[in-house]
């Protein structure tokens, strides 16, 4: 049960989707906090999702607000997994702050790269200024944060839910925001 919490963070992985699995939420989880799901201030989860009314399956990165009730989301708009089934691709999310001259955070962004190319970026609003956390959650019962995260699905009572159907390799978590050049090197 490892928890990562950094001021800036990069998450990268190689993934081959063999099939999309219909789930209760529509999500096929890549990285999700252990326990009750994506609870906790600044907690990140990464999934493939087909939302109602969407054109297809997209990569989704989410980060919780300080009150856990709202999320910043970034979708791989225009990049649909249906066109890339059974192919290996690299997916990288970079969570980066912008600082003022006194070193205070004045803005925050998440960048999504696919195969080393910038696919989209989004300004964080509800999660801006929070530490980026992978693996922490607090279910409210113990009064303290719990740690750990799951890869490839959400586990509840020893049952895998919202699982991915494919193969995942080279999961990397970096303390810091990698540059576009550094992200590009992850693909080769």
């Amino acid at each position: 049960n490892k928890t990562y919490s950094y001021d800036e963070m990069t998450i990268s992985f190689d993934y081959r989707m063999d099939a999309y699995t219909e789930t209760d939420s529509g999500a096929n989880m890549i990285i999700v906090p252990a326990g009750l799901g994506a609870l906790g201030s600044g907690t990140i989860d990464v999934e493939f999702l087909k939302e109602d009314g969407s054109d297809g399956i997209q990569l989704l990165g989410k980060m919780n607000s300080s009150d856990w009730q709202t999320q910043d989301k970034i979708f791989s708009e225009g990049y649909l997994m249906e066109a890339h089934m059974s192919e290996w691709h690299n997916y990288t999310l970079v969570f980066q702050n912008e600082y003022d001259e006194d070193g205070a955070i004045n803005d925050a962004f998440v960048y999504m790269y696919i195969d080393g190319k910038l696919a989209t970026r989004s300004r964080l609003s509800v999660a801006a200024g929070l530490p980026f956390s992978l693996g922490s959650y607090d279910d409210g019962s113990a009064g303290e944060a719990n740690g750990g995260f799951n890869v490839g699905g959400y586990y509840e009572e020893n049952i895998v839910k919202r699982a991915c159907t494919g193969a995942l390799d080279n999961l990397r978590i970096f303390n810091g925001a990698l540059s576009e050049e550094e992200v590009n090197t992850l693909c080769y």
Side-chain angles (χ1 to χ4, degrees), residues 2 15 17 29 37 48 66 97-99 130 139 155 166 178:
K2 177 71 175 157
Y15 184 66
M17 180 179 279
M29 302 298 220
F48 287 98
S66 60
N97 294 313
E98 288 186 2
Y99 300 90
L130 298 174
D139 66 7
Y155 301 87
L178 296 186

Side-chain angles (χ1 to χ4, degrees), residues 11 44-49 51 57-64 71-79 91-96 108-114 117-127:
I11 302 168
I44 296 167
D45 79 31
V46 181
E47 60 196 54
F48 287 98
L49 179 70
E51 287 193 312
I57 305 160
Q58 300 179 66
L59 178 63
L60 167 64
K62 298 189 292 187
M63 186 176 170
N64 284 348
Q71 298 171 328
D72 283 315
K73 298 179 180 181
I74 185 170
F75 288 93
S76 61
E77 298 176 24
Y79 181 90
Y91 302 94
T92 303
L93 296 169
V94 177
F95 295 87
Q96 184 174 25
F109 295 90
V110 58
Y111 298 83
M112 180 183 291
Y113 294 87
I114 300 173
K117 306 279 190 272
L118 181 63
T120 187
R121 91 171 196 160
S122 180
R123 171 179 272 127
L124 296 174
S125 57
V126 298

Side-chain angles (χ1 to χ4, degrees), residues 126-161:
V126 298
L130 298 174
F132 302 109
S133 177
L134 188 60
S136 291
Y137 79 96
D138 182 350
D139 66 7
S141 64
E144 59 187 54
N146 300 285
F149 62 92
N150 297 316
V151 176
Y154 176 76
Y155 301 87
E156 186 176 277
E157 298 178 13
N158 296 321
I159 298 171
V160 179
K161 297 184 176 185

Side-chain angles (χ1 to χ4, degrees), residues 15-30 47-52 54 56-60 75 80-86 162-166:
Y15 184 66
R16 183 193 73 226
M17 180 179 279
D18 294 334
Y20 175 75
T21 306
E22 292 292 331
T23 66
D24 61 329
S25 70
N28 287 203
M29 302 298 220
I30 296 293
E47 60 196 54
F48 287 98
L49 179 70
K50 184 172 185 179
E51 287 193 312
D52 291 336
S54 69
I57 305 160
Q58 300 179 66
L59 178 63
L60 167 64
F75 288 93
L80 302 178
M81 289 303 295
E82 290 87 345
H84 304 282
M85 289 289 185
S86 301
R162 302 178 189 164
C164 292
T165 305

